[in-house]
Amino acid sequence: MFDIGFSEIFVIAIVALLVLGPERLPKAARFAGLWVRRARAQWHSVKSELENELAAEELKRSLRETQDSLREAQQGFNEGLDEARNRIKREQESLQRELDALDRDVRGASAQAESPADAPAERQQIEEQSLASASDPDLKPESESMEAPASRDDVYARGLPVETDSEAEPVPVPVRPAPSASDDGAQRR
């Protein structure tokens, strides 16, 4: 604290002994010790308060830096989130445009299939079939020419049609007649 050596303390003690005398010197020494202890305690309290203030200041600075970094991170996150939302919105709009275009194409194709230009051709074909059937009773329209599937007995009676490479009418192949119920199975070989 003070730069006082042993010789200086010895000189002060001799002067105090001469001034105070041997009776009051012990009380004065206790009193001086009390004041020295109080001064040291005061010095330590001031020193600890200063250290606490410095630590609190350091903590506040650290807290501010952390808050700033958190704000920057949150801002970056929000910007990324906004960018992702915008990208999703653009993709959604793009997909919606494509879906609308496909919908228009499908409606256009179905409208062309049902267009009035095709209807007269169908009507004309139906009229020609009806005129042909009226003039030739053996000719049946296509809708009437489709017969129900033949039964097993009908196939045996008429024969099976055979397909050839040419586009000619299939030629029926004779088929053995169907066995009757009275056969015992002797002819089945």
Side-chain angles (χ1 to χ4, degrees), residues 6-20 25:
F6 180 73
S7 61
E8 294 159 346
I9 292 177
F10 187 69
V11 171
I12 292 173
I14 290 179
V15 171
L17 182 62
L18 291 176
V19 171
L20 297 175
L25 185 63

Side-chain angles (χ1 to χ4, degrees), residues 129-141:
Q129 287 176 355
S130 63
L131 288 175
S133 65
S135 63
D136 188 9
D138 292 333
L139 184 63
K140 296 180 182 176

Side-chain angles (χ1 to χ4, degrees), residues 3 12 16 38 54-55 67 77 86 127 131-132 137 148 170 173-174 189:
D3 192 16
I12 292 173
R38 285 183 183 173
L54 290 174
Q67 284 177 342
F77 176 75
N86 290 336
E127 288 175 6
L131 288 175
V173 175
R189 290 187 199 186

Side-chain angles (χ1 to χ4, degrees), residues 46-61:
V46 168
K47 184 179 175 184
S48 66
E49 283 181 26
L50 252 159
E51 288 174 353
N52 287 342
E53 286 294 321
L54 290 174
E57 204 55 45
E58 180 68 25
L59 186 62
K60 286 179 184 178
R61 188 177 57 81

Side-chain angles (χ1 to χ4, degrees), residues 117-134 139-143 145:
D118 294 339
E122 290 176 15
R123 257 190 239 138
Q124 184 179 4
Q125 185 181 13
I126 292 171
E127 288 175 6
E128 287 175 3
Q129 287 176 355
S130 63
L131 288 175
S133 65
L139 184 63
K140 296 180 182 176
E142 288 181 17
S143 60
S145 66

Side-chain angles (χ1 to χ4, degrees), residues 10-148:
F10 187 69
V11 171
I12 292 173
I14 290 179
V15 171
L17 182 62
L18 291 176
V19 171
L20 297 175
E23 294 175 4
R24 290 192 294 176
L25 185 63
K27 288 183 184 178
R30 279 191 295 253
F31 188 73
L34 178 69
W35 281 102
V36 169
R37 280 192 302 267
R38 285 183 183 173
R40 282 186 184 169
Q42 191 67 26
W43 173 253
H44 287 294
S45 79
V46 168
K47 184 179 175 184
S48 66
E49 283 181 26
L50 252 159
E51 288 174 353
N52 287 342
E53 286 294 321
L54 290 174
E57 204 55 45
E58 180 68 25
L59 186 62
K60 286 179 184 178
R61 188 177 57 81
S62 166
L63 184 61
R64 270 187 249 122
E65 289 175 358
T66 305
Q67 284 177 342
D68 290 342
S69 66
L70 283 176
R71 275 192 209 109
E72 289 174 6
Q74 183 180 10
Q75 190 176 22
F77 176 75
N78 287 339
E79 288 173 359
L81 186 62
D82 290 341
E83 183 179 325
R85 283 180 184 160
N86 290 336
R87 191 176 327 136
I88 288 171
K89 192 174 184 180
R90 285 192 306 266
E91 288 294 324
Q92 182 182 10
E93 290 170 356
S94 171
L95 289 175
Q96 186 64 39
R97 284 192 299 268
E98 290 179 19
L99 184 62
D100 291 343
L102 286 174
D103 189 36
R104 283 192 301 269
D105 291 347
V106 168
R107 287 184 185 181
S110 66
Q112 286 178 354
E114 298 173 1
S115 70
D118 294 339
E122 290 176 15
R123 257 190 239 138
Q124 184 179 4
Q125 185 181 13
I126 292 171
E127 288 175 6
E128 287 175 3
Q129 287 176 355
S130 63
L131 288 175
S133 65
S135 63
D136 188 9
D138 292 333
L139 184 63
K140 296 180 182 176
E142 288 181 17
S143 60
E144 294 177 16
S145 66
M146 295 190 63
E147 299 175 2

